[in-house]
Amino acid sequence: MSSAKSKKTLGLGKSLIRNRFQTNVDKGLRMKVNPDGSSVKHTTETDETTKNWIKMQSITQENDLDAFLTTATLAGTEFTAEKLNIEVLSKDHTNPFLLTHDEEEETLKLHKQHKSLLTVPRRPVWDGVATPEVQQYRERENFLDWRRGLVALEEEKGLLMTPYERNLEVWRQLWRVLERSDLIVQIVDARHPTLFRSNDLESYVREVDPRKGNLLLVNKADMLTVRQREAWASYFEKEGVEYVFFSAALARRRLEEEAEAELAEAARIEKEIREKQVREEIRKMGIGASSSLGEGRSGKKKGGAGDAWRKGGSMEQEPERIRILSCDELLDLFTVKCPAPLREGEKKVTIGFVGYPNVGKSSTLNALVGAKKVTVSSTPGKTKHFQTIHLDESTVLCDCPGLVFPSFATTKAEMVVNGVLPIDQLREHTGPATLVAQRIPRHALSSIYGIRIRTFDNEGNLDPTAPVKGEQLCAAYAVNRGFKKSGQGNPDEARAARIILKDYVLGKLLFCQPPPGNYDPADFNIETYSGAEFFPKKKNA
């Protein structure tokens, strides 16, 4: 058996490899060198800064700060950090993504000045000779000119516009609805009617046929107080707009309560019939009528949801100009506005419904259909083409696909809180969150979410009287709900902002815009959060 070789004994091959890749002790790093001492690397190392391989990485893109520092380094400029050498450029702690009060006033003046340029595309009038191909070509040309006009308005005037429908096929559906309908009902959100209303659409309806009627249906009117409805009613009457207040949510609840009342009434009648049959059987058997059966019943009929709507509700006592109509009253109003069809040969009146995708158009139609107890064949969901619903023997409802009309906006944050831009695709949350913090009172936010919002003054000191900022609101909500960033442990303000903004869009955090004029938004919404439920009770010592 041969003895084990010593580990220190090296062969010729290993000696050559070790000699080639020897360690340079003087420079303190491991290098690959040839036997003559030259480097094996095929590179030129003329600068000591290239010793670190990280500095040899390829750089194809740089942000502004990195580009500035790289340029300064190449120019040989040196920087020295100096403490206590701070110059305050501005003491105004405003959000850069929002406008100041003066800037907003100036922007609103420009909006009012160029409001007439916000038009809807017109369909070229058919001359009776043009072929379908020629007519479609004219439609495309008119639509292209309309888009160019809006782009020029945005670029030349420097105005910010909301996203609007750019698909010609969707506008063709609107054209068909306007041509078929005898009465056009434009549905808007009661929280911001002027944003969702298209003035030019009403003009276009009169251009198609002067006999056609326009009606502005202010949906979600249950979110408005009586005082707010009076303000909007005065504005609409001043502008000469035919309007009506409606709430699809209230109408749906009323239909559900009426259905429950009908079921309860049917159960009561069935019970009385069974008791009557039992008495008859007892009488035939000669046992004697049982007086206990049916005892204790008052015999009084309980009032249903319809009675609450007619009697106990305050809607019957409100003036007609601000009253929220029921489904039956709204259908009666349609009959008064358009008693007979305008087109020759038609036997039914066609009511066309137009509006933004998120103003409750589908809910309104479902409420009207449910009030008539009819079965509708159209499938729910996003409508790709206009649909007709035969309500009764004299009325047809025509549903137009949801259309986003061109409109002005002050900032992108405003478009987010108004539901125009999708919240899930939000990149910057401080601007919209700050708008919510400015519009919803501090005590209401604390009461609704059960959070404590810490605010600070300009010097960074804790100040309970300072206005709430969006970052502070999101941080307080994230801490309360346990939202943290992965790997850091800091509050996840972006996630909190998305939840808060969705609550605002859905109406959990309610804010209603006042009509144009001398209205203070805070005073206009003061009644919304003045209830005792928004003020915590103080504990007695």
Side-chain angles (χ1 to χ4, degrees), residues 9 80 141 171 306 380 414 420 485 489 505 524:
T9 305
T80 304
E141 288 296 314
W171 288 105
E414 181 191 3
V420 178
K485 297 179 181 179
V505 172
F524 189 74

Side-chain angles (χ1 to χ4, degrees), residues 392-463:
D392 52 31
E393 64 278 357
S394 61
T395 307
V396 176
L397 305 182
C398 192
D399 181 16
C400 179
L403 262 172
V404 181
F405 298 96
S407 179
F408 290 129
T410 55
T411 58
K412 288 187 178 181
E414 181 191 3
M415 290 190 278
V416 172
V417 297
N418 288 327
V420 178
L421 295 180
I423 296 175
D424 290 329
Q425 300 177 11
L426 192 62
R427 291 291 181 267
E428 199 287 315
H429 66 274
T430 61
T434 301
L435 278 181
V436 174
Q438 292 175 353
R439 294 176 177 181
I440 308 300
R442 179 175 184 164
H443 69 275
L445 293 171
S446 301
S447 176
I448 293 173
Y449 289 131
I451 59 177
R452 180 183 178 185
I453 306 173
R454 295 163 58 91
T455 55
F456 303 88
D457 56 15
N458 295 338
E459 285 73 23
N461 300 321
L462 189 64
D463 185 6

Side-chain angles (χ1 to χ4, degrees), residues 10 13-23:
L10 298 177
K14 290 187 178 181
S15 299
L16 293 176
I17 294 175
R18 186 172 183 179
N19 184 40
R20 185 175 183 180
F21 301 103
Q22 63 184 357
T23 304

Side-chain angles (χ1 to χ4, degrees), residues 191 448-449 481 502-510 529:
R191 292 173 292 178
I448 293 173
Y449 289 131
R481 299 300 191 270
K502 288 180 180 179
D503 289 342
Y504 183 91
V505 172
L506 294 176
K508 181 178 180 179
L509 301 176
L510 182 57
Y529 299 106

Side-chain angles (χ1 to χ4, degrees), residues 78-125:
E78 296 183 358
F79 295 92
T80 304
E82 297 182 3
K83 297 182 179 180
L84 303 178
N85 187 17
I86 302 174
E87 181 180 357
V88 179
L89 300 178
S90 175
K91 293 184 178 181
D92 190 10
H93 294 264
T94 58
N95 193 299
F97 300 98
L98 300 178
L99 299 180
T100 62
H101 179 73
D102 296 337
E103 291 174 343
E104 186 174 0
E105 290 292 332
E106 188 65 25
T107 304
L108 293 178
K109 289 181 181 179
L110 292 176
H111 291 177
K112 187 176 181 180
Q113 181 180 352
H114 300 91
K115 188 177 182 180
S116 59
L117 301 178
L118 291 176
T119 60
V120 297
R122 262 60 169 175
R123 186 177 193 178
V125 180

